[in-house]
Amino acid sequence: MKLHEYQAKGIFADAGIPVPDSQLAESVEEALDAVDEIGYPAAIKAQVHVGGRGKAGGIKIATDRDEAETYAEEILGMDLKGYTVETVLVESGVDFVDELYVGVTMDRGEGKPVLMVSTEGGVDIEEVAAESPDAIAREHVDPAFGLHPYQARKVVYNAGVDADVAGDVASIVSTLYDLYEANDATEIEVNPVMITSDRDVVAADAVMNIDEDALFRQPKLAELEDEAYEDDLERKAGEYGFDYVRLSGNVGIIGNGAGLVMTTLDLVDYYGGAPANFLDIGGGAKAERVTNALDMVFSDPNVDSVVFNIFGGITRGDEVAKGINEALSGYDELPKPVVVRLAGTNAEEGMEILNTDLLGVEKTLEAAVQRAVENAKEVSA
Amino acid sequence: MKLHEYQAKGIFADAGIPVPDSQLAESVEEALDAVDEIGYPAAIKAQVHVGGRGKAGGIKIATDRDEAETYAEEILGMDLKGYTVETVLVESGVDFVDELYVGVTMDRGEGKPVLMVSTEGGVDIEEVAAESPDAIAREHVDPAFGLHPYQARKVVYNAGVDADVAGDVASIVSTLYDLYEANDATEIEVNPVMITSDRDVVAADAVMNIDEDALFRQPKLAELEDEAYEDDLERKAGEYGFDYVRLSGNVGIIGNGAGLVMTTLDLVDYYGGAPANFLDIGGGAKAERVTNALDMVFSDPNVDSVVFNIFGGITRGDEVAKGINEALSGYDELPKPVVVRLAGTNAEEGMEILNTDLLGVEKTLEAAVQRAVENAKEVSA
Amino acid sequence: MSIFVDDDTRVVVQGITGGEGKFHAEQMIEYGTNVVAGAVPGKGGQEAAGVPVYDTVDAAVEAEDANASVIFVPPAFAADAIFEALDTDLDLAVAITEGIPTQDMAKVNKRLGETDTRLLGPNCPGIITPGEAKLGILPGNIFADGNVGLVSRSGTLTYQVVDNLTERGIGQTTAIGIGGDPIIGTSFIDALEAFEADTETDAVVMCGEIGGEDEEQAARFIGEHMDTPVAGFIAGRTAPPGKRMGHAGAIVSGSGTGTAESKIDALNDAGVPVGDTPEEVADHIESFL
Amino acid sequence: MSIFVDDDTRVVVQGITGGEGKFHAEQMIEYGTNVVAGAVPGKGGQEAAGVPVYDTVDAAVEAEDANASVIFVPPAFAADAIFEALDTDLDLAVAITEGIPTQDMAKVNKRLGETDTRLLGPNCPGIITPGEAKLGILPGNIFADGNVGLVSRSGTLTYQVVDNLTERGIGQTTAIGIGGDPIIGTSFIDALEAFEADTETDAVVMCGEIGGEDEEQAARFIGEHMDTPVAGFIAGRTAPPGKRMGHAGAIVSGSGTGTAESKIDALNDAGVPVGDTPEEVADHIESFL
């Protein structure tokens, strides 16, 4: 789960990390009220989960009220890489002389959190990592011991941070690690940490991603989950308890098991179609879950055709078929063509009893996907 | 630092461990007021740092007001293994059907905390350990990971605790470990944990010792330090910052370095004397510390004679001698005979300038101790 | 032969009194697996799925001489259950549970380095040596005894590929789901190394997916250390960056590491043919035999 | 010869800009020790005791090729300083600091098991190979080069015994203070094992004290594994149970473990004569040579 910049900064501020003064605004008036209070220069920052907001025009610095109004009008409601900006953070502009990058993330290969500090902050850190990996100092943290204080210092000194601010930056690194651990984060990133002409350090941006699997023990963060959704269908999937990702194509995909659903997406692409979503309904395929899954794909206006791919496994194919039929009992006609493919234990028995008045049925994954792609082409033609 | 039972139980109760109702009393009236409120049976328990209080008569169960008065009178003011009882804990008597032992301590050999549970509670656990070590289940905790929940369960099941209370006892074990860690304890012991006829578990006693070296980060516990002293001289040593232990002999001992002071005590004994104290003044022997050390031994009424043994090491003997002379400048005559022995760097130069009008001086440790023992015999004769 | 499990494997099921645990314990037993005990705190002395239940894994292992564990414990308690299993010096612990917090698994991973126990998973379907033992939730009936090893990060995708193989009459030595989480106990390399050493495994299927760099490392391992031919499949070619595709570990990072392309390239560089469809994977395997 | 340190030892001093650190760094250098750097966060680029100071131990080791560290850091920060030293793969770290919380040392002890670095101390005077190197706060002038090894839990008691030896013309190969805390990095056995292997050490003094069971274990080790004769001393015969005698580790438990009697008996059982006085220890050593 990705937190918005303003949410992450709230958490930072509570932990004692210096952040600029800021206010949230959902309209141009609110933005102007905020900027009147905060003063100039003021940054107006789109609150959407999109990398490279600045380059894409989602962050502007206003030096007077006219600029503030222009920028607020520009940004509020703009489409940023597919997301509509509904909220901006109006933030006091920081007069900085230097920018650092500071991050904490999980190094999967090592199975350990890693601290990262670079003096090449303020730019795309991925590019820095790719082009001059030595410009990023790294320090792995042993998850049993947690962070030793010397490690925060070491990564800061190794990065070559100026001596006069090294202590303050180490203190930010240390606090970020504490937050990483306490909040079950998967990633925390501040890019840039700004160094002002007075040699103060300020966290000028904030990225904080939370491990969804840990929300059960992070009740405060779980409350933010709803605000974190940026798409009504993703919100709905969250309510239904589905793993769901919205994509830009027109073939809706329902399946069980992450690897098999991904494979189904890939095959849609392979056979010339474009997947509209990833939707994993998990094991079993009980009627209620099938009903909800169909609701998801049917209510997505981009979807022209659906492929439903279930590998039965322990759950027998005839039981899966019964669940599907029960879910279909509310329909006289399906709003979009659906092709079903059952496999695994008792798959043939299952396919025999499927309601073929409403559904197309195919025996192989390849055939089912090809037919769904054709259906989509026909509908959208 | 040893906490009193009532202090430890306060900490337990705050952490959610069930303890009996209780009140502290410093007089017979207060004890009777307490027992009137708490009801019968009531335990009247001496609050002194003495093991085996029960056997020694420091714990009595009153079943009516007359008994309560008798026992309170008996216990308040009594001498318990050399300590005068000034406070009693008046505690609701628990109607128990079973008694367990639960403890957490540092296993020095392993360098790890160890959980201990035994169904043979309520008796001297040291005896249980010596006679039937298998009656105590043990589980070491990896200090980097901390306690895994399964370990609390495992030690309880391995001890053979009844299934119906095993969960509650495991929960006490787990909380005790948390307290052990959070309070920098060196030892926590509940003996007994009582199991009532309703199958509730109650911590009926509480031993909690704190690592003195960690008091700098345990401000709340540091505040209890003063209450924890049971001897004015020990309190004074605390104020002076000396390592000090009061003993029952009449030869006062001042020295530097724990091993060498212990050795001096042992030699006093070896040469037929009896040490009155252990007093380590640490490195250097500056005048102020010498003054304070002399004040300690002179103000101990048991002390008849003093031996002052310093191995100079890095600090030169002549500097040590100057410090001693300076400390003596306030005296025309010493209240008790003092023999000094200096060794190490520049020891001879030091001994030459020592104020021999006030002090006896010896060149070897053995001679100095022998002379102090003789002095003590003469004084006490 | 086989790797990791066979008919000598003696299994304790952690969480055997829960719905999932009991059902799959029964399924494992029905398949012929040597399930000898269950472990559930507070349920010691009971019986479940026809085997005795103990309060601790320690007691179960002690009493029934188990050497492997299968863990069906809810996510909030699963890491503790894994630690408990690792503490008893088992040969193998299989963690089926999906949804264990990653930071819990980082701690488990640290402990793993201190023990000799192999952890499989978490978030995995388990392991099967057809005709001998099944530890986990895999549907036994789709597998057949044979000479192809299979290792996969995904459950149902494994079934799909196995189904394709079995239908062609190609059986398996052992099939292993290593799990879809970012931090797992047994890597592709661990499994590949064991298959390479197994004299009965004549070819191996490796099903990877987006996220992390395990497939790239495995590709290098295959290129440098394996004579047994390997055919690959990589799921998630169409996954957008920054989105978790069902599995907690299936995510292409913003920086573009963990892409299907990078994995496919690495495998191809190591001489491993990668199928565009599961059928193509079966074609490659058939060509090896 | 010698054990653990010699004139090839290259020392970084952690906390070299503090009062103690600077004084003893100078003393070590004066003694002839190869002190090559200091490490103090925020003081990188400065100079202290005539050597360059770095912000981290890592940087000091890297730049000056140090292989040992001496730690003069206050108790609240000392465990962190030890972890930092252990992280740089030194051969030896000597922690002088007294008063480190025991639970901090339990964590350090865990890490020690994961590294190849030897930790000496904490709460110890250090180690000296007379005429070659001194790491710590021992007064160099009382030592003399010779053929007796010495290992002790106490500082000034060590000096006392060494003084008795040197006055008789008996010099030392290496003298080691292992420290008076309950949890320490180098045990009696570690030192005895090294002395046994050192061809120039012809006899060993072992000064123990009350608390713990290290002396008992060392006695068993001597009985089973040592040909080099050992003379012992045990301080604290008159210590009452339950009282900490200066050293955090010098405490006879309520249950009566850790008594001087038990240690003396164990040593005697292993054929080790135990002196009643430091002079008697010197007598025993003289008789061995």
Side-chain angles (χ1 to χ4, degrees):
Chain A
M1 180 179 102
K2 295 179 180 185
L3 298 189
H4 286 292
E5 179 190 5
Y6 74 89
Q7 294 170 328
K9 278 190 175 162
I11 293 172
F12 287 9
D14 288 346
I17 295 177
V19 294
D21 282 346
S22 67
Q23 285 185 27
L24 217 52
E26 295 188 353
S27 67
V28 175
E29 293 91 70
E30 281 180 19
L32 288 174
D33 286 351
V35 88
D36 284 346
E37 205 168 294
I38 284 168
Y40 301 92
I44 296 177
K45 306 165 96 175
Q47 297 298 289
V48 284
H49 296 310
V50 164
R53 279 176 306 167
K55 271 190 193 161
I59 301 180
K60 301 265 179 171
I61 311 288
T63 55
D64 60 33
R65 205 169 197 280
D66 282 349
E67 280 186 14
E69 187 166 7
T70 310
Y71 295 150
E73 277 170 355
E74 268 177 38
I75 295 174
L76 276 163
M78 85 186 285
D79 181 276
L80 216 57
K81 300 186 181 176
Y83 292 93
T84 306
V85 179
E86 286 170 4
T87 313
V88 292
L89 188 68
V90 179
E91 189 173 79
S92 177
V94 178
D95 176 28
F96 65 92
V97 296
D98 231 332
E99 295 180 299
L100 309 175
Y101 168 89
V102 172
V104 185
T105 188
M106 182 65 73
D107 181 334
R108 289 171 60 155
E110 292 283 324
K112 287 177 183 170
V114 60
L115 313 174
M116 291 176 293
V117 176
S118 174
T119 54
E120 301 192 14
V123 297
D124 187 349
I125 197 68
E126 317 292 2
E127 273 175 32
V128 176
E131 282 162 28
S132 43
D134 288 349
I136 304 175
R138 288 183 168 79
E139 177 78 13
H140 283 96
V141 178
D142 184 319
F145 287 96
L147 180 71
H148 298 294
Y150 83 85
Q151 297 186 287
R153 300 193 302 265
K154 186 178 162 197
V155 70
V156 167
Y157 284 117
N158 281 353
V161 173
D162 289 346
D164 63 339
V165 294
D168 289 343
V169 177
S171 155
I172 289 183
V173 170
S174 173
T175 306
L176 288 179
Y177 185 83
D178 291 346
L179 292 175
Y180 174 86
E181 220 179 40
N183 294 287
D184 271 303
T186 55
E187 187 171 17
I188 295 187
E189 197 177 270
V190 183
N191 188 16
V193 169
M194 286 180 174
I195 300 176
T196 71
S197 49
D198 297 335
R199 310 306 285 169
D200 288 328
V201 293
V202 181
D205 192 10
V207 168
M208 192 163 169
N209 299 339
I210 307 298
D211 182 357
E212 283 157 54
D213 288 337
L215 286 179
F216 70 85
R217 62 184 179 198
Q218 298 290 350
K220 281 187 189 164
L221 293 169
E223 279 173 26
L224 302 181
E225 195 172 16
D226 194 56
E227 288 176 61
Y229 290 119
E230 297 204 317
D231 181 296
D232 287 340
L233 277 167
E234 289 186 357
R235 178 173 293 113
K236 198 180 246 187
E239 286 161 12
Y240 286 153
F242 291 143
D243 283 324
Y244 176 84
V245 176
R246 198 173 179 183
L247 300 162
S248 55
N250 65 344
V251 179
I253 291 150
I254 304 172
N256 68 329
L260 190 57
V261 178
M262 276 191 273
T263 300
T264 313
L265 265 69
D266 294 350
L267 288 182
V268 166
D269 177 70
Y270 181 72
Y271 289 117
N277 66 270
F278 170 102
L279 197 170
D280 179 2
I281 62 166
K286 293 249 170 69
E288 194 196 343
R289 288 184 76 78
V290 176
T291 306
N292 292 342
L294 289 174
D295 177 40
M296 291 283 307
V297 288
F298 290 160
S299 61
D300 180 347
N302 291 343
V303 168
D304 289 326
S305 142
V306 177
V307 56
F308 197 145
N309 177 33
I310 295 281
F311 201 106
I314 293 276
T315 314
R316 294 193 334 250
D318 48 339
E319 283 172 15
V320 175
K322 277 183 205 157
I324 293 173
N325 284 348
E326 199 181 326
L328 295 177
S329 61
Y331 292 95
D332 288 330
E333 196 182 343
L334 298 186
K336 297 166 186 187
V338 177
V339 180
V340 177
R341 178 257 184 170
L342 295 184
T345 323
N346 286 17
E348 285 182 26
E349 290 86 333
M351 282 189 283
E352 270 166 28
I353 60 171
L354 274 175
N355 181 346
T356 46
D357 293 344
L358 292 170
L359 302 166
V361 175
E362 291 291 342
K363 214 188 145 186
T364 71
L365 174 55
E366 290 79 1
V369 168
Q370 280 174 293
R371 186 157 157 197
V373 169
E374 277 160 34
N375 286 345
K377 280 184 186 152
E378 277 170 32
V379 170
S380 63
Chain B
M1 180 179 100
K2 295 179 180 182
L3 298 188
H4 286 292
E5 178 190 4
Y6 73 91
Q7 294 170 327
K9 278 190 175 162
I11 293 172
F12 287 8
D14 288 346
I17 295 177
V19 295
D21 282 346
S22 68
Q23 285 185 26
L24 217 53
E26 296 186 353
S27 66
V28 176
E29 294 90 72
E30 281 181 19
L32 288 175
D33 286 352
V35 89
D36 283 347
E37 206 167 295
I38 285 167
Y40 301 92
I44 298 177
K45 307 166 95 176
Q47 297 298 290
V48 284
H49 296 311
V50 163
R53 280 176 304 168
K55 270 190 193 162
I59 300 180
K60 300 265 179 173
I61 311 289
T63 54
D64 60 35
R65 206 169 197 278
D66 283 349
E67 280 186 12
E69 187 166 10
T70 310
Y71 295 150
E73 277 170 357
E74 267 178 37
I75 295 174
L76 277 163
M78 84 185 287
D79 181 276
L80 216 57
K81 301 187 181 175
Y83 293 94
T84 307
V85 178
E86 286 170 3
T87 314
V88 292
L89 188 68
V90 179
E91 189 173 80
S92 177
V94 178
D95 176 29
F96 65 93
V97 296
D98 231 331
E99 295 180 300
L100 310 175
Y101 168 89
V102 173
V104 185
T105 189
M106 183 64 74
D107 181 334
R108 290 171 58 154
E110 293 282 325
K112 288 178 183 169
V114 60
L115 313 174
M116 292 176 293
V117 177
S118 174
T119 54
E120 301 193 14
V123 298
D124 186 349
I125 198 69
E126 317 291 2
E127 273 175 34
V128 176
E131 283 162 28
S132 44
D134 289 348
I136 304 175
R138 288 184 169 79
E139 177 78 14
H140 284 95
V141 178
D142 184 319
F145 287 97
L147 179 71
H148 299 294
Y150 83 85
Q151 297 185 288
R153 299 192 302 264
K154 185 177 162 198
V155 70
V156 167
Y157 285 116
N158 281 353
V161 172
D162 290 344
D164 63 339
V165 294
D168 289 343
V169 177
S171 156
I172 288 183
V173 170
S174 173
T175 306
L176 289 179
Y177 185 83
D178 291 345
L179 291 175
Y180 174 87
E181 219 177 41
N183 294 287
D184 270 305
T186 54
E187 188 172 16
I188 296 187
E189 197 177 272
V190 183
N191 188 15
V193 169
M194 287 179 172
I195 300 176
T196 70
S197 49
D198 297 335
R199 310 305 285 171
D200 289 326
V201 292
V202 181
D205 193 9
V207 169
M208 191 162 171
N209 299 339
I210 307 298
D211 182 357
E212 283 157 53
D213 289 338
L215 285 179
F216 69 85
R217 63 184 178 196
Q218 298 290 350
K220 281 188 188 164
L221 294 169
E223 280 174 26
L224 303 180
E225 197 172 16
D226 194 58
E227 288 176 63
Y229 290 120
E230 299 205 318
D231 180 296
D232 287 340
L233 277 167
E234 289 185 356
R235 178 173 292 115
K236 198 180 247 188
E239 286 162 11
Y240 287 152
F242 291 142
D243 284 324
Y244 176 84
V245 177
R246 198 173 181 185
L247 300 163
S248 55
N250 64 344
V251 179
I253 291 150
I254 304 173
N256 67 330
L260 191 56
V261 179
M262 275 190 275
T263 300
T264 313
L265 265 68
D266 294 350
L267 288 182
V268 166
D269 177 69
Y270 181 72
Y271 289 117
N277 65 272
F278 171 102
L279 197 169
D280 179 2
I281 64 166
K286 294 247 170 68
E288 193 196 343
R289 288 183 77 76
V290 176
T291 306
N292 292 341
L294 289 173
D295 177 40
M296 291 283 306
V297 288
F298 289 161
S299 62
D300 181 348
N302 292 343
V303 167
D304 290 326
S305 143
V306 177
V307 56
F308 197 145
N309 178 33
I310 295 281
F311 200 106
I314 292 277
T315 313
R316 296 194 330 252
D318 48 339
E319 284 172 14
V320 174
K322 279 182 206 157
I324 294 174
N325 285 346
E326 199 182 326
L328 295 177
S329 62
Y331 292 95
D332 289 329
E333 195 183 343
L334 297 186
K336 297 165 186 187
V338 177
V339 180
V340 177
R341 178 260 182 166
L342 295 183
T345 323
N346 287 18
E348 286 182 25
E349 290 86 331
M351 281 189 282
E352 271 166 29
I353 60 171
L354 273 174
N355 182 347
T356 46
D357 292 345
L358 293 170
L359 302 165
V361 175
E362 291 291 342
K363 214 189 144 186
T364 70
L365 174 55
E366 289 79 359
V369 168
Q370 280 173 293
R371 187 158 156 197
V373 169
E374 277 159 34
N375 286 346
K377 280 183 185 152
E378 277 171 33
V379 171
S380 63
Chain C
M1 256 177 68
S2 61
I3 71 170
F4 303 156
V5 298
D6 57 28
D7 45 20
D8 288 334
T9 306
R10 295 175 63 82
V11 179
V12 53
V13 176
Q14 290 177 254
I16 199 171
T17 56
E20 286 257 301
K22 182 158 175 292
F23 175 76
H24 288 291
E26 285 164 354
Q27 293 274 321
M28 286 186 252
I29 292 168
E30 200 184 305
Y31 191 75
T33 313
N34 214 350
V35 175
V36 297
V40 181
K43 309 277 183 179
Q46 300 184 9
E47 204 172 83
V51 297
V53 180
Y54 297 85
D55 288 309
T56 65
V57 179
D58 191 45
V61 168
E62 189 94 343
E64 307 295 343
D65 200 22
N67 66 347
S69 160
V70 185
I71 299 168
F72 295 96
V73 170
F77 311 105
D80 189 49
I82 297 174
F83 276 111
E84 183 171 1
L86 296 181
D87 191 24
T88 52
D89 291 327
L90 297 164
D91 297 325
L92 177 67
V94 180
I96 305 302
T97 312
E98 178 175 3
I100 303 178
T102 304
Q103 294 195 10
D104 286 4
M105 279 310 302
K107 293 198 177 83
V108 167
N109 187 58
K110 159 88 175 172
R111 175 75 94 214
L112 267 183
E114 304 170 346
T115 71
D116 293 326
T117 302
R118 167 175 304 289
L119 174 68
L120 189 61
N123 191 11
C124 80
I127 178 169
I128 185 167
T129 291
E132 300 202 26
K134 176 183 100 160
L135 280 70
I137 61 172
L138 309 112
N141 60 310
I142 62 169
F143 294 87
D145 187 15
N147 58 348
V148 173
L150 186 142
V151 54
S152 169
R153 275 168 72 185
S154 165
T156 46
L157 177 58
T158 304
Y159 312 160
Q160 172 69 47
V161 174
V162 165
D163 211 31
N164 291 346
L165 292 174
T166 302
E167 273 186 12
R168 293 173 188 222
I170 300 172
Q172 302 87 41
T173 46
T174 299
I176 306 172
I178 58 174
D181 273 0
I183 300 178
I184 52 178
T186 294
S187 68
F188 278 120
I189 291 178
D190 296 331
L192 291 170
E193 199 170 15
F195 280 129
E196 173 71 9
D198 179 41
T199 50
E200 281 192 11
T201 298
D202 295 331
V204 179
V205 178
M206 169 183 154
C207 293
E209 63 190 33
I210 51 164
E213 300 181 7
D214 278 13
E215 289 82 357
E216 286 87 337
Q217 288 164 11
R220 282 192 292 277
F221 176 84
I222 294 167
E224 290 166 17
H225 302 289
M226 284 187 77
D227 291 325
T228 312
V230 179
F233 187 80
I234 300 293
R237 301 172 183 218
T238 50
K243 296 286 185 181
R244 171 174 154 168
M245 304 300 277
H247 283 161
I251 182 165
V252 173
S253 82
S255 58
T257 62
T259 61
E261 196 186 353
S262 145
K263 294 167 193 297
I264 292 167
D265 287 351
L267 286 167
N268 285 336
D269 285 352
V272 175
V274 177
D276 286 321
T277 67
E279 277 295 350
E280 273 187 37
V281 177
D283 292 343
H284 289 304
I285 290 293
E286 200 162 12
S287 75
F288 293 150
L289 301 175
Chain D
M1 255 176 70
S2 60
I3 71 170
F4 302 157
V5 298
D6 57 30
D7 44 22
D8 289 333
T9 305
R10 296 174 62 82
V11 179
V12 54
V13 176
Q14 291 176 253
I16 198 170
T17 55
E20 286 256 301
K22 182 159 175 291
F23 175 76
H24 288 289
E26 285 164 355
Q27 293 275 321
M28 286 187 252
I29 291 167
E30 202 186 304
Y31 192 75
T33 312
N34 214 351
V35 176
V36 296
V40 182
K43 308 277 183 179
Q46 299 184 10
E47 204 172 81
V51 296
V53 180
Y54 297 85
D55 288 309
T56 65
V57 178
D58 190 45
V61 168
E62 189 94 343
E64 308 295 343
D65 200 23
N67 68 346
S69 161
V70 185
I71 299 168
F72 295 97
V73 170
F77 311 105
D80 188 49
I82 298 175
F83 276 111
E84 182 172 2
L86 296 181
D87 191 25
T88 53
D89 291 327
L90 297 165
D91 296 326
L92 177 68
V94 180
I96 306 301
T97 312
E98 177 176 2
I100 304 179
T102 303
Q103 294 194 10
D104 287 4
M105 280 309 303
K107 293 196 177 85
V108 167
N109 186 59
K110 158 87 176 173
R111 174 75 93 214
L112 267 182
E114 303 170 346
T115 71
D116 293 326
T117 302
R118 168 175 303 289
L119 173 69
L120 189 60
N123 190 11
C124 81
I127 177 169
I128 185 166
T129 292
E132 300 200 28
K134 176 183 101 161
L135 280 70
I137 61 172
L138 310 111
N141 61 310
I142 63 169
F143 293 86
D145 187 16
N147 59 348
V148 173
L150 185 141
V151 55
S152 170
R153 273 168 73 184
S154 165
T156 46
L157 177 58
T158 304
Y159 312 161
Q160 174 68 48
V161 174
V162 165
D163 212 32
N164 291 346
L165 292 173
T166 302
E167 273 185 13
R168 294 174 187 219
I170 301 172
Q172 302 87 40
T173 45
T174 298
I176 306 172
I178 58 174
D181 273 0
I183 299 179
I184 51 178
T186 295
S187 68
F188 279 119
I189 291 178
D190 297 329
L192 292 169
E193 199 170 15
F195 281 129
E196 173 72 10
D198 179 41
T199 51
E200 281 192 10
T201 299
D202 295 331
V204 178
V205 178
M206 168 183 154
C207 294
E209 63 189 35
I210 51 165
E213 299 181 9
D214 277 13
E215 290 82 357
E216 287 85 336
Q217 287 164 10
R220 281 193 292 276
F221 175 84
I222 295 167
E224 290 167 16
H225 303 288
M226 284 187 78
D227 291 326
T228 312
V230 179
F233 186 80
I234 299 292
R237 301 171 184 220
T238 51
K243 295 285 185 182
R244 169 173 154 168
M245 304 300 277
H247 282 161
I251 183 165
V252 173
S253 82
S255 57
T257 62
T259 61
E261 198 188 351
S262 144
K263 294 167 192 299
I264 293 167
D265 288 350
L267 286 167
N268 286 335
D269 286 352
V272 175
V274 177
D276 286 322
T277 69
E279 278 295 351
E280 272 188 36
V281 177
D283 292 343
H284 289 302
I285 291 293
E286 201 162 12
S287 75
F288 292 152
L289 300 175

